[in-house]
Amino acid sequence: MYRLLKVIYNLYFHPLARFPGPKLAAATHLFEFYWSIIRDGEFIWEIERMHQQYGPIIRITPRELHISDPSFYNEIYAGNPKRVEGDYRFTRSTGVTQSMFAAIDHDLHQRRRSPLTKFFSKRSISDIQPIIQDKIERLIKKLQRASKDGSVVSLTTLSAAFTADTISHYSYGVSMGCLDGEVENILTDATQAVLALSHWLRFLPIRFTNAKKLPPALVQKFFPKAATVLQTHQTISSLALEVLNANEPKAPHENMFAALADPKLPAEERNLGRLEDEGFVILAAGTETTAYSLSVTMFYLLDNPEIFSKLYDEIKAAMPDPTHCPSLSVLEHLPLLRGVVNEGLRLSMGTLTRHPRIAPDRILQYKNWAIPAGTPCSTCTYFVHTDPEIFPNPSSFDPYRWVRAAEKGQHLENHLALFLKGNRACLGINMATAEMYMLTANLVRRVKMKLHEGTTIDCVTPARDHTIVVPKDTSGIRAYVLDVE
Ligand code: HEM
């Protein structure tokens, strides 16, 4: 009876009752459940279809709107001083409830984010170029070995090993060492395992570490992926404990864990659970997305030899000695490299999911529609990055579109939406782009590769939303290494 009344309320009396969209989506969350869970991450394609039928603003669940109009983007993803809140059904989707990402309230989110912002400023990232270059050298050694023994390499796995080693080294001072032995990356396995469940977690609030209460042998036998997640949590947990229990506390500027354990922070903000969750978010966020963007960029470069060769010439002129990479600021000013990085970021999409934001204290006016305060609203990056008005012929890899726009003084980069905008945007933008510029420049300048026959456009074609992008073919970007300089 209650459910029936709720459906009637949702359809006829809810503040969103007059917004366009299918009745089923407005009536019940089962519609979202079907497309996200039964159809395993295909809600985005249903949202695309709904926009074609109902126009730019649609009600996609009983309580949520999706707006596909780039001109409204900055209203949803607003910056300070506007208050912007997270949506509990989304923030719980990673199972890490005490992180900054999961802080719904605007002020709490800003308080959690602020001790970490200095680590990700342009200047701080410019200072860690030697760390990034060190990981690149290790990766190139692996490629050298593959060129000698003729083995096929997975650029997807190697990119994730590179990003995992870089962020672990930078965030708490110890590299995970994925590039040192046989490439093993429990972090990337754990992230993918958690994110594959992200739609379930919108419906069922679970904190992953609760699984710790189960006997480890049982978890390993019946939920091997959860076991990987727990293993990662345990690594992070022991690092957090070390920092919290240190006799001589490290200075907060030494590394991110030390900053999170700063005695000046309120006690409730520096307990073990909080450090574990924030640690997991930083490591996971710093690994998977950038790695995917890197491997997508390499796919398109290897698939377009003419562009590759022009880029090689540009980089060679700036990097005559292949073992001496120029500074980040020099790389960022190479027009074609900049176009390649931007185009790789655009086509990789970053995430395929929707990132809802709530304006808690104001009505958002979209054309004739007054969106009530407190309504979760989103615009998926995919719709911005494939908008033909902004990016003509959007599915083609055309780095020159960025070069042409820059020459005309157009700010096409304003439409690069994968890091989102506003005060809850990605904290790691500078780090992600530094890794993209440096690894791409080094690989193009120093390594001759050829795509494996089984690596096709399907390997970079978005198919499912597991928060991150799951491509049509999940076998990864594989290549032969012909020569290394
Ligand atoms: C291509 C690479 C990357 C993409 C596409 C990306 C994308 C995003 C997005 C969309 C969000 C917003 C999530 C939300 O609240 O709805 C986010 C948040 C975040 N990202 Fe990234 N990210 C990337 C790389 C990185 C890197 C390298 C780091 C380094 C640690 C990082 C750290 C974070 C953190 C800590 C947050 C939470 C920010 C907050 O809640 O205030 N990201 N990222």
Side-chain angles (χ1 to χ4, degrees):
M1 186 62 184
Y2 168 77
R3 288 196 188 280
L4 182 66
L5 287 176
K6 183 89 182 155
V7 165
I8 293 170
Y9 169 79
N10 284 342
L11 285 176
Y12 302 107
F13 303 104
H14 193 283
L16 301 182
R18 289 179 48 254
F19 281 80
K23 290 282 173 240
L24 204 53
T28 159
H29 280 285
L30 287 176
F31 184 77
E32 179 197 6
F33 185 90
Y34 172 76
W35 284 103
S36 301
I37 292 177
I38 311 288
R39 298 287 292 258
D40 188 15
E42 291 191 359
F43 196 26
I44 178 153
W45 312 127
E46 181 57 14
I47 292 176
E48 186 174 42
R49 194 203 59 75
M50 288 193 266
H51 275 303
Q52 282 157 6
Q53 185 175 349
Y54 296 99
I57 182 163
I58 46 172
R59 188 180 179 193
I60 54 171
T61 75
R63 54 189 287 283
E64 201 181 334
L65 299 175
H66 187 273
I67 298 116
S68 182
D69 183 341
S71 69
F72 197 62
Y73 194 84
N74 291 342
E75 287 295 313
I76 300 175
Y77 299 97
N80 281 318
K82 288 184 179 155
R83 295 178 71 80
V84 178
E85 298 199 333
D87 176 26
Y88 76 96
R89 290 188 76 248
F90 175 65
T91 55
R92 73 189 186 194
S93 70
T94 52
V96 278
T97 48
Q98 293 190 66
S99 61
M100 82 180 101
F101 163 81
I104 292 164
D105 176 69
H106 176 87
D107 296 321
L108 177 64
H109 172 263
Q110 298 290 295
R111 271 203 308 280
R112 286 187 175 170
R113 184 170 162 121
S114 81
L116 294 175
T117 48
K118 57 180 175 294
F119 290 96
F120 291 102
S121 68
K122 191 95 187 141
R123 193 180 175 157
S124 298
I125 296 303
S126 163
D127 290 346
I128 62 159
Q129 283 179 81
I131 297 181
I132 303 177
Q133 189 64 37
D134 170 64
K135 309 302 169 217
I136 292 175
E137 296 305 330
R138 288 165 199 261
L139 190 152
I140 286 189
K141 274 206 186 101
K142 289 227 164 283
L143 297 177
Q144 250 157 0
R145 235 167 286 148
S147 87
K148 282 190 192 125
D149 63 25
S151 56
V152 175
V153 292
S154 165
L155 293 174
T156 308
T157 311
L158 285 174
S159 301
F162 160 68
T163 52
D165 282 3
T166 308
I167 186 64
S168 52
H169 185 147
Y170 184 42
S171 60
Y172 55 82
V174 188
S175 164
M176 288 183 70
C178 302
L179 286 167
D180 296 337
E182 288 308 308
V183 178
E184 263 187 33
N185 195 334
I186 56 163
L187 183 56
T188 192
D189 294 346
T191 310
Q192 287 178 5
V194 171
L195 294 180
L197 290 177
S198 56
H199 295 301
W200 276 105
L201 294 176
R202 286 184 198 237
F203 290 87
L204 304 169
I206 300 171
R207 191 165 184 270
F208 271 100
T209 39
N210 287 344
K212 272 184 199 161
K213 292 168 194 154
L214 298 171
L218 191 85
V219 178
Q220 181 64 49
K221 182 154 174 52
F222 293 104
F223 314 103
K225 290 201 165 174
T228 336
V229 179
L230 285 183
Q231 205 184 333
T232 314
H233 264 284
Q234 261 148 20
T235 312
I236 295 169
S237 189
S238 40
L239 286 161
L241 270 175
E242 213 174 281
V243 176
L244 285 171
N245 297 336
N247 290 336
E248 300 247 333
K250 285 195 170 156
H253 62 264
E254 276 191 40
N255 67 42
M256 290 176 219
F257 271 70
L260 291 170
D262 183 355
K264 287 196 199 110
L265 294 174
E268 71 277 10
E269 284 299 308
R270 53 184 163 83
N271 55 48
L272 181 60
R274 169 108 180 84
L275 261 73
E276 281 175 348
D277 279 7
E278 205 67 282
F280 189 72
V281 164
I282 290 167
L283 290 175
T287 299
E288 218 39 44
T289 40
T290 318
Y292 186 70
S293 299
L294 279 165
S295 63
V296 167
T297 307
M298 284 315 293
F299 167 82
Y300 280 110
L301 280 174
L302 295 172
D303 200 41
N304 288 277
E306 259 180 49
I307 296 175
F308 189 103
S309 143
K310 289 257 162 48
L311 182 63
Y312 175 83
D313 292 344
E314 185 187 78
I315 294 172
K316 190 173 180 193
M319 188 175 166
D321 174 355
T323 59
H324 182 74
C325 184
S327 73
L328 201 48
S329 61
V330 169
L331 294 179
E332 285 169 351
H333 283 92
L334 299 178
L336 185 53
L337 178 59
R338 195 175 181 99
V340 163
V341 167
N342 284 338
E343 192 69 343
L345 289 170
R346 181 182 77 83
L347 285 168
S348 75
M349 308 295 165
T351 56
L352 208 53
T353 204
R354 58 193 200 280
H355 296 265
R357 297 290 186 258
I358 294 174
D361 52 1
R362 61 194 190 282
I363 290 172
L364 297 182
Q365 189 67 39
Y366 176 68
K367 296 186 176 166
N368 292 330
W369 297 98
I371 302 173
T375 305
C377 294
S378 56
T379 300
C380 290
T381 300
Y382 179 86
F383 299 117
V384 183
H385 285 193
T386 58
D387 185 333
E389 302 273 308
I390 306 170
F391 300 108
N393 201 0
S395 59
S396 78
F397 177 72
D398 178 11
Y400 295 103
R401 69 173 91 234
W402 302 91
V403 180
R404 288 190 299 270
E407 283 166 1
K408 286 188 214 152
Q410 293 167 348
H411 301 290
L412 197 53
E413 286 172 17
N414 288 347
H415 294 292
L416 211 48
L418 77 169
F419 299 112
L420 307 189
K421 306 256 157 131
N423 46 32
R424 300 179 80 105
C426 174
L427 185 62
I429 303 175
N430 294 323
M431 179 155 187
T433 47
E435 290 175 326
M436 291 283 292
Y437 276 100
M438 289 179 67
L439 187 62
T440 310
N442 274 277
L443 290 181
V444 169
R445 174 68 181 90
R446 298 166 67 181
V447 188
K448 260 206 192 98
M449 284 186 276
K450 190 173 107 162
L451 281 178
H452 180 267
E453 309 67 38
T455 297
T456 68
I457 190 78
D458 284 354
C459 298
V460 294
T461 303
R464 292 182 195 287
D465 154 20
H466 280 186
T467 299
I468 47 174
V469 182
V470 178
K472 226 173 172 177
D473 177 340
T474 54
S475 51
I477 310 302
R478 287 164 296 158
Y480 299 100
V481 185
L482 308 177
D483 196 13
V484 178
E485 238 191 279

